[in-house]
Amino acid sequence: ADKFLKQNQPKFAIAFDPAGKTAEAYKVKAMPCSYLIDTQGKIVSSHAGFRSQDKEELEKLIDQITRK
């Protein structure tokens, strides 16, 4: 995760669970894996893996969700 974050430097908060309870609860199947969760706790979007060509689209989605 540290290597990924250094290479991609997201402009949003990242939550990290070293015990792995969150990954277990969400049944994460790939790393990195992103879940966008709204203020009600509902998963709005999920994305497994990372491809640089998806970066702009994902950032727009994050921006839309965080502005609500």
Side-chain angles (χ1 to χ4, degrees), residues 4 7-8 30-34 46-59:
F4 173 81
Q7 290 174 346
N8 295 285
M31 291 298 266
C33 189
S34 303
S46 64
H47 187 82
F50 180 78
R51 296 184 317 250
S52 58
Q53 64 265 30
D54 295 338
K55 184 177 177 181
E56 189 174 322
E57 181 182 334
L58 291 171
E59 286 179 347

Side-chain angles (χ1 to χ4, degrees), residues 6 13 17-18 29-30 35-36 39 44 52-53 60 64 67:
K6 284 180 185 177
D17 172 18
K29 293 180 173 66
Y35 291 89
L36 300 179
T39 57
V44 177
S52 58
Q53 64 265 30
K60 285 179 185 178
Q64 289 172 357
R67 288 178 187 240

Side-chain angles (χ1 to χ4, degrees), residues 15 17 20-31 33-38 40-48:
D17 172 18
K21 297 294 183 185
T22 305
E24 197 174 289
Y26 286 99
K27 299 179 175 123
V28 172
K29 293 180 173 66
M31 291 298 266
C33 189
S34 303
Y35 291 89
L36 300 179
I37 302 170
D38 68 13
Q40 313 307 305
K42 178 184 172 193
I43 297 174
V44 177
S45 176
S46 64
H47 187 82

